Each structure stands twice: as C-alpha cells, then as structure tokens.
Amino acid sequence: MKKPELLCTAANLDELVKVIEAGADAVSIGHERYGLRVAGNFEVEEIRKATEAAHARGAKVYVSVNALFHNDDLEGLPEYLKTLEEIGVDAIVFGDTAVVMIARQIGLKVPLHWNAEVLTTNYETMNYWGRKGATRAFVARELNMDAIVEIKENAEVEIQVQVHGITCIFHSRRDLVTNYEKFMGQEPKPASMDRKLFITEEKRDDLQYPIFEDRNGTHIMSAEDICILEYLDELMDAEIDSFKIEGIMKDTDYNVKVVSAYRRAIDAYAEGPEAFLNNIGNLMEEIRAIQPSHRELTTGFFFKEQVY
C-alpha cells in the first residue's frame, strides 16, 4: 500500500528537527511577510538551515508564500522566490496568482503547491492550476469525505488534506483587535499569538475562538481541533497523497506526540487493517491525554452533509 506523506508545521529549527524525528516526512515553514498563519517566522538564513537539517534526515521542506498580496507586497517577491530555489526547498505553497505569474517570469523550477483556503473545493479548479504549474492542491477544510474522495479520483495533481489541528474561520486585512482596544480606551498592545487572546459567543461562552494579528491582519481560529486519526484508513484507501498536521498555537511537545501517533497509525494500516484496528484505540487515548481541556477534538466537516 502507498503511504501518504505526513506533513507538520514547525515554529523554529528545534521543532522542525523534533517533528521529523517523530515521523514527519515533510515540514511546512514560512514568514508572515509572505505566508498566512505560519507557525513561526523563518528568516532566509533560517530557511537555509532548516532545509539542510530536513534533507540530512531524509525529509522535505515546503515554504508558505500564500499571503494575499497587495501591490506594495510584491516588492521583493521575485528575489525571495529565487532565493528559496537557490536554497533548495522542495516546494513553494501559493494561493495568489501573482506567485505563479512571477514564477513564470523568472523561470522558477521549484514545485508549486496550491493552497487558497476556501477556494480549493473542486477538481476542475485544481486541475486548472495543475496545468498552470501546480503539482499539488490542498483541499478546503469544509469538504466532506465523499467530496474529497471524488476530488482525488478526478484530480491531475497530488491532493493534500488537513487531518489534525486548528483551522482559520475568519480573516481580515484590518487590525480588528487593535481597533477594538482603541475604541474601548485601552492602550493597544501587539495582538500576536503569544498573548493567547480569544473571543466567545454571547450564548456559548464555553467556546474559545483564538484571535491574533500580524502584518496580514486579523485571524480568528476555530474553537475546536480537527482529529481524523481514527479514519486515516479511509483517506489511505482513497490514496490521498499528503496528510497535514496544523501545529500552530500548540507547543512542540504536543506536536511531536501528535506526529508520532499519526506516524504509527499510517504505518499500522500500511501493514494491514487488523494492525490498524488493534492500535488505533491506544493512539486515540494518547491524543486525548495531551489535548487541552478547553479544545474539543472533532472530525470537522468530514462526515457532514453539505447543504448549499
């Protein structure tokens, strides 16, 4: 059986090495100047060191360049893409057409992975981008299992699915937290991930939606974490190419243990259904034991009927 790639985010070089040693085949990194919701800001020299460290361990490095670029943001982008190619990163993740256009203009040879968040909902659009140079597409988190399987059956590119972690439910270019604090007469502070801010609903104050700001604006994240560990067999039967663990807003110890559990689940099912069934209960208990008490584990939209 073909094993899918196991991909995890990394906030720094130390975490990158540890998640690879825990079983990740590839690591996603970036810098907020060019990427949306990256786990940590890797400067160019840090990307070089990360790529060397990953390659020395037989793993790949993907760099997120999936920001929504305004005119002023394009300055320096061609040079950045050229530098990533020179460093030897294994793929560049894009969402904005500008990246493809610039890649063509400068003759970039690095593989491109299309991740446009909510836009990646059908195989025709994914195949369109495949013909424009993309080698992989990341399916939207709002798709159910049937839709994902249908996409894989008809896709001309590799398919990547998020199997674990937090998701973004709202993004605005505006600094909503800063503006709110000013309106309330407070002295605004940097609303980074480190502040651990969250918002709640009036009638559901038990749910905490993390919120933070960076140079790309405001991001509101889900109150729950996706966990598809128990159903990896279905995704592996569908021959999904890459499973992504989203590790932002989690510490290294948590991410390492999650990667390890998914690694063992993948390897068990590759060995056979019986091995998977014999191990999956214990692996789920490992995940539940480290899951923050205020964040429920759910299967997201994987088994929800889509109503349009």
Side-chain angles (χ1 to χ4, degrees):
M1 172 180 286
K2 173 189 172 183
K3 289 185 183 181
E5 171 189 86
L6 183 59
L7 167 66
C8 185
T9 55
N12 50 56
L13 185 59
D14 177 66
E15 184 169 65
L16 177 140
V17 170
K18 287 181 178 178
V19 296
I20 290 173
E21 291 177 344
D25 301 303
V27 182
S28 174
I29 62 175
H31 192 286
E32 68 180 42
R33 178 178 177 185
Y34 299 105
L36 287 180
R37 291 175 292 280
V38 293
N41 285 321
F42 280 73
E43 302 295 343
V44 167
E45 283 309 307
E46 291 173 314
I47 293 175
R48 190 183 304 277
K49 292 178 182 178
T51 303
E52 292 172 353
H55 289 176
R57 292 164 175 78
K60 296 180 178 181
V61 170
Y62 305 145
V63 178
S64 292
V65 189
N66 62 333
L68 303 175
F69 294 102
H70 290 220
N71 292 330
D72 294 343
D73 301 323
L74 297 176
E75 184 178 354
L77 183 56
E79 291 76 16
Y80 184 68
L81 296 177
K82 286 180 183 177
T83 301
L84 295 180
E85 182 170 63
E86 181 269 321
I87 288 172
V89 303
D90 298 281
I92 290 171
V93 181
F94 78 98
D96 195 315
T97 310
V99 175
V100 177
M101 297 299 292
I102 292 173
R104 283 186 171 185
Q105 291 167 12
I106 65 177
L108 204 71
K109 303 299 183 185
V110 180
L112 299 175
H113 294 175
W114 185 47
N115 178 10
E117 303 290 345
V118 298
L119 301 180
T120 48
T121 57
N122 68 83
Y123 57 81
E124 289 288 6
T125 305
M126 294 177 186
N127 290 341
Y128 169 85
W129 284 110
R131 296 171 196 133
K132 296 298 182 182
T135 60
R136 176 183 293 183
F138 191 151
V139 302
R141 286 81 161 179
E142 290 79 10
L143 298 184
N144 61 26
M145 187 71 76
D146 290 341
I148 292 171
V149 171
E150 184 178 7
I151 284 173
K152 176 57 185 173
E153 289 173 344
N154 293 277
E156 299 168 2
V157 295
E158 292 181 351
I159 296 301
Q160 181 172 302
V161 175
Q162 181 177 337
V163 295
H164 196 96
I166 200 168
T167 62
C168 180
I169 62 173
F170 176 85
H171 171 250
S172 172
R173 187 81 174 189
R174 294 173 295 169
D175 294 331
L176 300 181
V177 177
T178 299
N179 292 337
Y180 173 77
E181 290 182 332
K182 288 180 179 177
F183 175 77
M184 296 298 292
Q186 302 172 9
E187 182 66 30
K189 302 176 183 177
S192 64
M193 290 186 197
D194 297 337
R195 280 186 67 183
K196 300 186 185 304
L197 300 175
F198 63 88
I199 59 176
T200 61
E201 298 180 47
E202 184 176 357
K203 296 182 179 179
R204 303 176 67 191
D205 57 6
D206 57 318
L207 294 180
Q208 298 181 4
Y209 298 89
I211 181 171
F212 67 92
E213 290 175 357
D214 58 18
R215 66 185 299 153
N216 295 298
T218 304
H219 312 265
I220 301 178
M221 311 300 287
S222 61
E224 303 163 334
D225 286 325
I226 292 175
C227 179
I228 312 298
L229 185 65
E230 292 178 285
Y231 306 99
L232 289 189
D233 53 336
E234 297 186 40
L235 292 173
M236 289 179 68
D237 285 343
E239 298 187 346
I240 299 301
D241 301 281
S242 178
F243 294 167
K244 183 181 182 183
I245 294 170
E246 182 55 81
I248 65 169
M249 309 192 88
K250 296 291 194 301
D251 60 33
T252 298
D253 183 60
Y254 177 94
N255 289 331
V256 166
K257 289 177 180 176
V258 168
V259 168
S260 174
Y262 277 82
R263 174 80 274 156
R264 284 175 284 155
I266 291 169
D267 292 347
Y269 193 64
E271 182 181 330
E274 186 176 350
F276 179 81
L277 292 173
N278 288 339
N279 285 277
I280 197 62
N282 290 333
L283 294 177
M284 277 301 301
E285 285 306 310
E286 290 183 24
I287 296 293
R288 293 189 182 102
I290 61 172
Q291 184 67 15
S293 59
H294 64 282
R295 294 190 63 81
E296 183 181 353
L297 292 172
T298 77
T299 55
F301 288 87
F302 274 78
F303 301 105
K304 290 184 178 180
E305 186 69 26
Q306 300 298 320
V307 179
Y308 304 103

